[in-house]
Amino acid sequence: MFTGFPTAALDFYEDLEADNSKPFWAAHKAVYDDCVRGPMLALLADLEQEFGPGKVFRPYRDVRFSNDKTPYKTHQGGFVATGPSVGYYVQIDAAGLTVAGGFYSGTPAQVAAYRAAVDDERRGTELGKILRRLRRGGYEIGGSTLKTRPRGVDPGHPRLDLLRHRSLNAGRSDVSPPWIHSTRTLDEVRNSWRAFRPLVEWLTSATAS
């Protein structure tokens, strides 16, 4: 049962940012297990009945092809997938809590299917309405975008801004919220994920086409 993220979780990541080393990790792994990973697993378990089973990402960075060889991620993410690269996300780090939902790192075929849905008048208009409601609700819209328009797209297309997206998500970050250590965190994540549901369902359907 989720009871909150102890403030020690934020302190752990603040210290890890300053000393991202194996000796530090070995000395503080119990803090990670008790204050970060354990509560994240409990949070996802409490959300499972409504949103589906989630997974907790590994804390280790893949440094094989990176110039940055620091071994550990400075955040802990949890994800509930509703389709390939689509779903609900939650993250704890030194700054606080982040919640998001959307379409992440899709294949070329998924991106093409997404753009075909945006190009469709009915479905594209529906997406625009969903995003406007989320913005009015205080959520930020993000994702990877092209600097120019996709090949073959009319420069006057009414949804050109959405067609530029290669990924699309909505999210919100709460910096050091005073309720992070309490069960209110569960309510905050649940309410945000409910707000994201129309977007996530639209993207799940569109990218599966």
Side-chain angles (χ1 to χ4, degrees):
M1 183 176 179
F2 179 76
T3 58
F5 287 103
T7 53
L10 278 64
D11 295 340
F12 168 80
Y13 279 116
E14 185 175 355
D15 293 340
L16 182 63
E17 289 176 358
D19 183 7
N20 195 320
S21 67
K22 292 182 179 179
F24 173 86
W25 185 268
H28 297 84
K29 188 174 184 299
V31 178
Y32 167 77
D33 289 338
D34 295 341
C35 300
V36 178
R37 181 176 174 82
M40 181 64 79
L41 287 168
L43 176 65
L44 293 176
D46 282 354
L47 292 164
E48 181 172 351
Q49 183 174 358
E50 181 171 353
F51 297 96
K55 72 171 184 177
V56 174
F57 291 108
R58 289 166 52 86
Y60 312 105
R61 296 184 63 250
D62 184 353
V63 300
R64 292 174 297 172
F65 308 107
S66 174
N67 291 328
D68 179 2
K69 299 301 181 182
T70 51
Y72 304 104
K73 298 174 184 175
T74 55
H75 62 272
Q76 178 63 67
F79 190 68
V80 174
T82 58
S85 303
V86 184
Y88 302 94
Y89 181 72
V90 59
Q91 174 182 297
I92 184 80
D93 58 24
L97 185 78
T98 297
V99 287
F103 168 45
Y104 303 88
S105 303
T107 65
Q110 284 180 291
V111 174
Y114 159 79
R115 288 181 175 149
V118 172
D119 187 49
D120 179 81
E121 183 65 26
R122 181 185 62 81
R123 299 177 77 189
T125 299
E126 180 187 7
L127 176 60
K129 291 178 180 178
I130 291 170
L131 295 175
R132 285 193 292 274
R133 285 196 297 270
L134 286 168
R135 287 192 181 98
R136 288 196 298 269
Y139 297 102
E140 295 184 1
I141 306 303
S144 173
T145 60
L146 297 174
K147 293 182 179 179
T148 59
R149 67 181 186 277
R151 185 176 301 175
V153 172
D154 186 333
H157 196 291
R159 292 177 295 283
L160 179 58
D161 58 333
L162 293 177
L163 289 168
R164 287 195 176 107
H165 277 266
R166 291 176 293 196
S167 62
L168 178 65
N169 55 74
R172 186 188 85 193
S173 294
D174 289 291
V175 177
S176 299
W179 38 260
I180 192 72
H181 64 281
S182 73
T183 54
R184 178 177 164 182
T185 299
L186 172 62
D187 296 330
E188 294 287 339
V189 176
R190 181 189 287 117
N191 290 338
S192 289
W193 283 11
R194 285 173 176 171
F196 301 149
R197 182 177 282 133
L199 174 63
V200 170
E201 290 179 346
W202 191 99
L203 290 166
T204 302
S205 174
T207 57
S209 300

